[in-house]
Short mmCIF file of all heavy atoms in Angstrom, two decimals:
data_model
loop_
_atom_site.label_atom_id
_atom_site.label_comp_id
_atom_site.label_asym_id
_atom_site.label_seq_id
_atom_site.Cartn_x
_atom_site.Cartn_y
_atom_site.Cartn_z
N LYS A 48 24.17 0.18 84.14
CA LYS A 48 24.80 -0.03 82.85
C LYS A 48 24.16 0.82 81.75
O LYS A 48 24.84 1.35 80.89
CB LYS A 48 24.65 -1.51 82.52
CG LYS A 48 25.55 -2.02 81.46
CD LYS A 48 25.40 -3.54 81.48
CE LYS A 48 25.88 -4.16 80.19
NZ LYS A 48 25.74 -5.62 80.25
N GLU A 78 31.48 -8.08 88.53
CA GLU A 78 31.23 -8.04 87.09
C GLU A 78 31.20 -6.57 86.65
O GLU A 78 30.27 -5.84 87.00
CB GLU A 78 29.89 -8.73 86.81
CG GLU A 78 29.53 -8.87 85.36
CD GLU A 78 30.15 -10.10 84.73
OE1 GLU A 78 30.30 -11.12 85.41
OE2 GLU A 78 30.48 -10.02 83.52
N GLU A 81 31.56 -2.61 80.24
CA GLU A 81 32.40 -1.79 79.37
C GLU A 81 32.24 -0.29 79.69
O GLU A 81 31.12 0.19 79.86
CB GLU A 81 32.02 -2.05 77.91
CG GLU A 81 32.99 -1.44 76.92
CD GLU A 81 32.53 -1.63 75.49
OE1 GLU A 81 31.80 -2.60 75.21
OE2 GLU A 81 32.91 -0.79 74.64
N GLU A 89 48.04 -3.42 91.74
CA GLU A 89 48.80 -4.12 90.69
C GLU A 89 48.54 -5.62 90.64
O GLU A 89 48.19 -6.17 89.60
CB GLU A 89 50.29 -3.94 90.97
CG GLU A 89 50.93 -2.76 90.28
CD GLU A 89 52.38 -2.64 90.70
OE1 GLU A 89 52.63 -2.34 91.89
OE2 GLU A 89 53.26 -2.86 89.86
N THR A 90 48.72 -6.27 91.81
CA THR A 90 48.63 -7.73 91.85
C THR A 90 47.26 -8.22 91.42
O THR A 90 47.15 -9.20 90.68
CB THR A 90 48.88 -8.24 93.28
OG1 THR A 90 49.46 -7.17 94.03
CG2 THR A 90 49.77 -9.42 93.31
N TYR A 92 45.14 -6.42 89.65
CA TYR A 92 44.91 -5.94 88.29
C TYR A 92 45.35 -6.99 87.27
O TYR A 92 44.70 -7.23 86.27
CB TYR A 92 45.65 -4.62 88.06
CG TYR A 92 45.40 -4.03 86.69
CD1 TYR A 92 44.23 -3.34 86.43
CD2 TYR A 92 46.32 -4.19 85.66
CE1 TYR A 92 43.98 -2.81 85.18
CE2 TYR A 92 46.08 -3.67 84.40
CZ TYR A 92 44.91 -2.97 84.16
OH TYR A 92 44.66 -2.47 82.92
N LYS A 93 46.49 -7.62 87.60
CA LYS A 93 47.04 -8.60 86.66
C LYS A 93 46.15 -9.83 86.55
O LYS A 93 46.25 -10.59 85.60
CB LYS A 93 48.45 -8.98 87.10
CG LYS A 93 49.44 -7.87 86.76
CD LYS A 93 50.82 -8.12 87.30
CE LYS A 93 51.67 -6.89 87.04
NZ LYS A 93 52.89 -6.89 87.83
N ARG A 95 42.87 -9.72 86.30
CA ARG A 95 41.57 -9.33 85.74
C ARG A 95 41.19 -10.21 84.56
O ARG A 95 42.08 -10.73 83.86
CB ARG A 95 41.62 -7.86 85.30
CG ARG A 95 42.44 -7.65 84.04
CD ARG A 95 42.79 -6.21 83.81
NE ARG A 95 43.51 -6.07 82.56
CZ ARG A 95 44.78 -6.31 82.39
NH1 ARG A 95 45.52 -6.70 83.41
NH2 ARG A 95 45.35 -6.17 81.21
N LYS A 96 39.89 -10.38 84.37
CA LYS A 96 39.45 -11.16 83.22
C LYS A 96 38.68 -10.24 82.28
O LYS A 96 37.51 -10.47 81.96
CB LYS A 96 38.59 -12.33 83.68
CG LYS A 96 39.44 -13.41 84.30
CD LYS A 96 38.61 -14.56 84.79
CE LYS A 96 39.37 -15.33 85.85
NZ LYS A 96 38.52 -15.61 87.01
N LEU A 97 39.33 -9.15 81.92
CA LEU A 97 38.72 -8.24 80.96
C LEU A 97 39.82 -7.38 80.36
O LEU A 97 40.93 -7.35 80.88
CB LEU A 97 37.67 -7.34 81.65
CG LEU A 97 38.12 -6.58 82.90
CD1 LEU A 97 38.67 -5.22 82.56
CD2 LEU A 97 36.94 -6.42 83.84
N VAL A 98 39.50 -6.72 79.26
CA VAL A 98 40.46 -5.82 78.65
C VAL A 98 40.26 -4.45 79.27
O VAL A 98 39.12 -3.99 79.40
CB VAL A 98 40.25 -5.74 77.12
CG1 VAL A 98 41.28 -4.81 76.49
CG2 VAL A 98 40.32 -7.13 76.51
N ALA A 99 41.35 -3.81 79.72
CA ALA A 99 41.18 -2.51 80.37
C ALA A 99 42.32 -1.57 80.01
O ALA A 99 43.42 -1.99 79.69
CB ALA A 99 41.13 -2.70 81.88
N GLU A 100 41.98 -0.28 80.06
CA GLU A 100 42.94 0.76 79.72
C GLU A 100 43.41 1.42 81.02
O GLU A 100 42.58 1.88 81.82
CB GLU A 100 42.25 1.78 78.83
CG GLU A 100 43.09 2.99 78.48
CD GLU A 100 42.35 3.92 77.53
OE1 GLU A 100 41.10 3.81 77.44
OE2 GLU A 100 43.01 4.75 76.91
N ILE A 101 44.71 1.47 81.25
CA ILE A 101 45.23 2.07 82.48
C ILE A 101 45.17 3.59 82.37
O ILE A 101 45.67 4.17 81.41
CB ILE A 101 46.68 1.63 82.74
CG1 ILE A 101 46.74 0.11 82.87
CG2 ILE A 101 47.24 2.29 83.99
CD1 ILE A 101 48.14 -0.43 82.93
N LEU A 102 44.55 4.23 83.34
CA LEU A 102 44.45 5.69 83.31
C LEU A 102 45.44 6.34 84.25
O LEU A 102 45.93 7.43 84.02
CB LEU A 102 43.04 6.12 83.73
CG LEU A 102 41.89 5.60 82.88
CD1 LEU A 102 40.58 6.12 83.41
CD2 LEU A 102 42.08 6.00 81.43
N GLU A 103 45.71 5.65 85.36
CA GLU A 103 46.63 6.22 86.32
C GLU A 103 47.22 5.14 87.20
O GLU A 103 46.56 4.16 87.51
CB GLU A 103 45.90 7.25 87.20
CG GLU A 103 46.86 8.21 87.84
CD GLU A 103 46.36 8.74 89.17
OE1 GLU A 103 45.85 7.95 89.99
OE2 GLU A 103 46.50 9.94 89.40
N VAL A 104 48.48 5.37 87.59
CA VAL A 104 49.12 4.48 88.55
C VAL A 104 49.50 5.36 89.74
O VAL A 104 50.20 6.35 89.57
CB VAL A 104 50.38 3.82 87.95
CG1 VAL A 104 51.07 2.94 88.99
CG2 VAL A 104 50.01 3.00 86.72
N SER A 105 48.98 5.02 90.91
CA SER A 105 49.20 5.91 92.05
C SER A 105 50.62 5.80 92.56
O SER A 105 51.28 4.79 92.36
CB SER A 105 48.25 5.56 93.19
OG SER A 105 48.75 4.43 93.87
N SER A 106 51.08 6.85 93.22
CA SER A 106 52.44 6.81 93.75
C SER A 106 52.46 6.09 95.09
O SER A 106 53.46 5.56 95.51
CB SER A 106 53.01 8.22 93.87
OG SER A 106 52.08 9.05 94.51
N LYS A 113 51.02 -0.84 93.85
CA LYS A 113 50.45 0.48 93.55
C LYS A 113 49.00 0.34 93.09
O LYS A 113 48.64 -0.66 92.47
CB LYS A 113 51.26 1.13 92.42
CG LYS A 113 52.69 1.44 92.83
CD LYS A 113 53.42 2.04 91.66
CE LYS A 113 54.72 1.34 91.42
NZ LYS A 113 55.39 1.68 90.18
N ILE A 115 45.96 0.91 90.73
CA ILE A 115 45.76 1.17 89.31
C ILE A 115 44.33 1.66 89.10
O ILE A 115 43.39 1.04 89.56
CB ILE A 115 45.93 -0.12 88.49
CG1 ILE A 115 47.19 -0.88 88.89
CG2 ILE A 115 45.89 0.17 87.00
CD1 ILE A 115 48.48 -0.25 88.52
N LYS A 120 37.43 -2.02 78.95
CA LYS A 120 37.21 -1.94 77.51
C LYS A 120 36.29 -3.05 77.04
O LYS A 120 35.72 -2.99 75.96
CB LYS A 120 38.56 -2.05 76.78
CG LYS A 120 39.39 -0.77 76.86
CD LYS A 120 38.79 0.27 75.93
CE LYS A 120 39.57 1.56 76.03
NZ LYS A 120 38.95 2.60 75.19
N THR A 121 36.20 -4.11 77.85
CA THR A 121 35.20 -5.14 77.59
C THR A 121 34.55 -5.46 78.92
O THR A 121 35.04 -5.06 79.97
CB THR A 121 35.82 -6.45 77.05
OG1 THR A 121 36.70 -6.97 78.06
CG2 THR A 121 36.58 -6.25 75.77
N GLU A 122 33.44 -6.20 78.85
CA GLU A 122 32.79 -6.62 80.09
C GLU A 122 33.61 -7.76 80.69
O GLU A 122 34.25 -8.51 79.98
CB GLU A 122 31.39 -7.12 79.73
CG GLU A 122 30.47 -7.22 80.88
CD GLU A 122 29.04 -7.40 80.38
OE1 GLU A 122 28.51 -6.46 79.77
OE2 GLU A 122 28.47 -8.47 80.61
N ARG B 174 57.08 10.23 87.59
CA ARG B 174 57.34 9.10 88.47
C ARG B 174 58.73 8.57 88.17
O ARG B 174 59.23 8.70 87.07
CB ARG B 174 56.33 7.97 88.23
CG ARG B 174 54.94 8.34 88.53
CD ARG B 174 54.70 8.39 90.06
NE ARG B 174 53.64 9.33 90.37
CZ ARG B 174 52.36 9.09 90.13
NH1 ARG B 174 52.00 7.95 89.62
NH2 ARG B 174 51.45 9.99 90.42
N ASP B 190 55.34 -5.01 81.53
CA ASP B 190 53.90 -5.27 81.53
C ASP B 190 53.13 -3.97 81.25
O ASP B 190 53.73 -2.90 81.10
CB ASP B 190 53.45 -5.93 82.84
CG ASP B 190 53.70 -5.04 84.05
OD1 ASP B 190 53.74 -3.80 83.89
OD2 ASP B 190 53.83 -5.58 85.17
N ASP B 191 51.82 -4.06 81.19
CA ASP B 191 51.00 -2.89 80.83
C ASP B 191 51.23 -1.72 81.77
O ASP B 191 51.24 -0.56 81.36
CB ASP B 191 49.51 -3.26 80.85
CG ASP B 191 49.13 -4.07 79.62
OD1 ASP B 191 50.05 -4.43 78.87
OD2 ASP B 191 47.92 -4.32 79.43
N ILE B 192 51.39 -2.05 83.07
CA ILE B 192 51.55 -0.98 84.05
C ILE B 192 52.86 -0.23 83.80
O ILE B 192 52.89 1.00 83.81
CB ILE B 192 51.50 -1.57 85.48
CG1 ILE B 192 50.13 -2.21 85.71
CG2 ILE B 192 51.78 -0.50 86.53
CD1 ILE B 192 50.06 -3.13 86.90
N PHE B 195 52.56 1.78 80.67
CA PHE B 195 51.79 2.99 80.98
C PHE B 195 52.71 4.04 81.58
O PHE B 195 52.68 5.21 81.21
CB PHE B 195 50.65 2.68 81.96
CG PHE B 195 50.06 3.90 82.60
CD1 PHE B 195 49.11 4.66 81.93
CD2 PHE B 195 50.49 4.31 83.86
CE1 PHE B 195 48.59 5.80 82.51
CE2 PHE B 195 49.97 5.45 84.44
CZ PHE B 195 49.02 6.20 83.77
N GLU B 196 53.53 3.62 82.53
CA GLU B 196 54.41 4.58 83.21
C GLU B 196 55.44 5.19 82.26
O GLU B 196 55.74 6.38 82.35
CB GLU B 196 55.09 3.90 84.41
CG GLU B 196 54.11 3.67 85.55
CD GLU B 196 54.74 3.09 86.80
OE1 GLU B 196 55.59 2.20 86.69
OE2 GLU B 196 54.35 3.52 87.90
N ILE B 238 46.45 11.13 75.01
CA ILE B 238 45.98 10.98 76.38
C ILE B 238 46.94 10.04 77.10
O ILE B 238 47.29 8.99 76.56
CB ILE B 238 44.55 10.39 76.42
CG1 ILE B 238 43.58 11.35 75.74
CG2 ILE B 238 44.11 10.10 77.84
CD1 ILE B 238 42.24 10.74 75.46
N PRO B 239 47.36 10.39 78.29
CA PRO B 239 48.36 9.54 78.95
C PRO B 239 47.74 8.30 79.60
O PRO B 239 47.90 8.08 80.78
CB PRO B 239 48.97 10.46 80.01
CG PRO B 239 47.90 11.45 80.30
CD PRO B 239 47.07 11.59 79.07
N SER B 240 47.01 7.52 78.84
CA SER B 240 46.51 6.25 79.35
C SER B 240 47.09 5.17 78.46
O SER B 240 47.63 5.46 77.39
CB SER B 240 44.99 6.22 79.31
OG SER B 240 44.55 6.34 77.98
N PHE B 241 46.99 3.91 78.89
CA PHE B 241 47.58 2.88 78.04
C PHE B 241 46.90 1.54 78.18
O PHE B 241 46.50 1.12 79.25
CB PHE B 241 49.07 2.71 78.35
CG PHE B 241 49.72 1.69 77.45
CD1 PHE B 241 50.04 2.00 76.15
CD2 PHE B 241 49.96 0.39 77.91
CE1 PHE B 241 50.59 1.04 75.30
CE2 PHE B 241 50.51 -0.57 77.07
CZ PHE B 241 50.84 -0.24 75.77
N TYR B 242 46.74 0.86 77.06
CA TYR B 242 46.51 -0.59 77.03
C TYR B 242 46.98 -1.08 75.67
O TYR B 242 47.42 -0.29 74.84
CB TYR B 242 45.04 -0.92 77.33
CG TYR B 242 44.03 -0.63 76.24
CD1 TYR B 242 43.31 -1.68 75.67
CD2 TYR B 242 43.77 0.67 75.82
CE1 TYR B 242 42.36 -1.43 74.69
CE2 TYR B 242 42.81 0.92 74.86
CZ TYR B 242 42.10 -0.13 74.29
OH TYR B 242 41.16 0.12 73.34
N ILE B 243 46.94 -2.39 75.48
CA ILE B 243 47.33 -2.89 74.17
C ILE B 243 46.18 -2.56 73.22
O ILE B 243 45.15 -3.23 73.23
CB ILE B 243 47.62 -4.41 74.21
CG1 ILE B 243 48.72 -4.71 75.24
CG2 ILE B 243 48.00 -4.93 72.83
CD1 ILE B 243 50.08 -4.14 74.93
N TYR B 244 46.37 -1.49 72.46
CA TYR B 244 45.28 -0.95 71.64
C TYR B 244 44.89 -1.89 70.51
O TYR B 244 45.73 -2.64 69.99
CB TYR B 244 45.70 0.40 71.05
CG TYR B 244 45.91 1.48 72.08
CD1 TYR B 244 47.16 1.70 72.64
CD2 TYR B 244 44.85 2.28 72.52
CE1 TYR B 244 47.36 2.68 73.60
CE2 TYR B 244 45.04 3.26 73.47
CZ TYR B 244 46.30 3.45 74.01
OH TYR B 244 46.48 4.42 74.96
N ASP B 245 43.64 -1.83 70.14
CA ASP B 245 43.13 -2.64 69.03
C ASP B 245 43.95 -2.38 67.76
O ASP B 245 44.18 -3.27 66.96
CB ASP B 245 41.66 -2.30 68.73
CG ASP B 245 40.75 -2.78 69.85
OD1 ASP B 245 41.29 -3.29 70.85
OD2 ASP B 245 39.52 -2.64 69.73
N ARG B 255 38.59 -9.14 70.08
CA ARG B 255 37.96 -8.28 71.09
C ARG B 255 36.51 -7.98 70.74
O ARG B 255 35.66 -7.89 71.63
CB ARG B 255 38.76 -6.99 71.24
CG ARG B 255 40.03 -7.22 72.06
CD ARG B 255 40.60 -5.93 72.54
NE ARG B 255 41.77 -6.15 73.36
CZ ARG B 255 42.79 -5.31 73.41
NH1 ARG B 255 42.76 -4.21 72.69
NH2 ARG B 255 43.81 -5.56 74.20
N LEU B 258 34.62 -10.83 71.83
CA LEU B 258 34.49 -10.80 73.29
C LEU B 258 33.33 -9.90 73.70
O LEU B 258 32.58 -10.20 74.61
CB LEU B 258 35.78 -10.24 73.89
CG LEU B 258 36.82 -11.24 74.43
CD1 LEU B 258 38.08 -10.51 74.84
CD2 LEU B 258 36.27 -12.05 75.58
N LYS B 259 33.22 -8.79 72.99
CA LYS B 259 32.20 -7.82 73.35
C LYS B 259 30.79 -8.32 73.07
O LYS B 259 29.86 -8.03 73.82
CB LYS B 259 32.42 -6.50 72.60
CG LYS B 259 33.53 -5.67 73.23
CD LYS B 259 33.71 -4.34 72.53
CE LYS B 259 34.99 -3.68 73.03
NZ LYS B 259 35.23 -2.39 72.43
N LYS B 262 28.32 -11.88 75.23
CA LYS B 262 27.21 -11.90 76.19
C LYS B 262 25.86 -12.07 75.50
O LYS B 262 24.96 -12.70 76.02
CB LYS B 262 27.20 -10.59 77.01
CG LYS B 262 27.98 -10.72 78.29
CD LYS B 262 27.06 -11.11 79.43
CE LYS B 262 27.83 -11.83 80.51
NZ LYS B 262 27.64 -11.30 81.83
N ASP B 277 36.31 -18.16 77.85
CA ASP B 277 37.68 -18.38 78.32
C ASP B 277 38.64 -18.50 77.16
O ASP B 277 39.75 -17.96 77.19
CB ASP B 277 37.75 -19.65 79.17
CG ASP B 277 37.15 -19.42 80.56
OD1 ASP B 277 36.95 -18.23 80.89
OD2 ASP B 277 36.89 -20.40 81.27
N PHE B 280 39.27 -15.16 75.59
CA PHE B 280 40.10 -14.32 76.45
C PHE B 280 41.56 -14.78 76.39
O PHE B 280 42.48 -13.97 76.34
CB PHE B 280 39.58 -14.37 77.89
CG PHE B 280 40.10 -13.25 78.74
CD1 PHE B 280 39.66 -11.95 78.52
CD2 PHE B 280 41.03 -13.49 79.72
CE1 PHE B 280 40.16 -10.90 79.28
CE2 PHE B 280 41.54 -12.44 80.49
CZ PHE B 280 41.08 -11.15 80.27
N SER B 283 43.12 -13.61 73.21
CA SER B 283 43.45 -12.17 73.22
C SER B 283 44.67 -11.92 74.10
O SER B 283 45.53 -11.12 73.77
CB SER B 283 42.24 -11.34 73.67
OG SER B 283 42.17 -11.28 75.07
N GLU B 284 44.77 -12.63 75.21
CA GLU B 284 45.94 -12.44 76.07
C GLU B 284 47.22 -12.85 75.37
O GLU B 284 48.26 -12.22 75.52
CB GLU B 284 45.76 -13.25 77.36
CG GLU B 284 44.87 -12.53 78.36
CD GLU B 284 45.00 -13.11 79.76
OE1 GLU B 284 45.13 -14.34 79.89
OE2 GLU B 284 44.97 -12.33 80.72
N GLU B 287 48.14 -10.23 72.98
CA GLU B 287 48.65 -9.06 73.71
C GLU B 287 50.11 -9.25 74.07
O GLU B 287 50.92 -8.33 73.94
CB GLU B 287 47.82 -8.84 74.99
CG GLU B 287 46.49 -8.16 74.74
CD GLU B 287 45.73 -7.88 76.03
OE1 GLU B 287 46.37 -7.90 77.10
OE2 GLU B 287 44.50 -7.66 75.96
N ARG B 291 53.15 -6.88 73.11
CA ARG B 291 53.98 -6.27 74.16
C ARG B 291 55.46 -6.48 73.87
O ARG B 291 56.26 -5.58 74.02
CB ARG B 291 53.61 -6.91 75.50
CG ARG B 291 53.32 -5.91 76.58
CD ARG B 291 52.77 -6.58 77.80
NE ARG B 291 51.32 -6.52 77.83
CZ ARG B 291 50.52 -7.55 78.06
NH1 ARG B 291 51.02 -8.74 78.29
NH2 ARG B 291 49.22 -7.38 78.06
#
Side-chain angles (χ1 to χ4, degrees):
Chain A
K48 197 170 161 180
E78 185 85 33
E81 190 184 333
E89 267 177 293
T90 345
Y92 183 79
K93 284 174 186 164
R95 73 195 183 279
K96 286 179 202 133
L97 52 91
V98 181
E100 176 177 18
I101 300 172
L102 301 181
E103 201 209 44
V104 178
S105 79
S106 49
K113 295 179 231 169
I115 313 290
K120 285 285 178 183
T121 62
E122 196 166 294
Chain B
R174 296 286 152 74
D190 62 26
D191 284 7
I192 298 164
F195 164 82
E196 287 184 319
I238 297 168
S240 62
F241 182 77
Y242 74 117
I243 302 295
Y244 294 92
D245 291 4
R255 283 197 178 148
L258 262 173
K259 281 182 191 181
K262 267 267 155 129
D277 284 346
F280 198 71
S283 84
E284 279 196 322
E287 281 183 18
R291 230 171 263 131

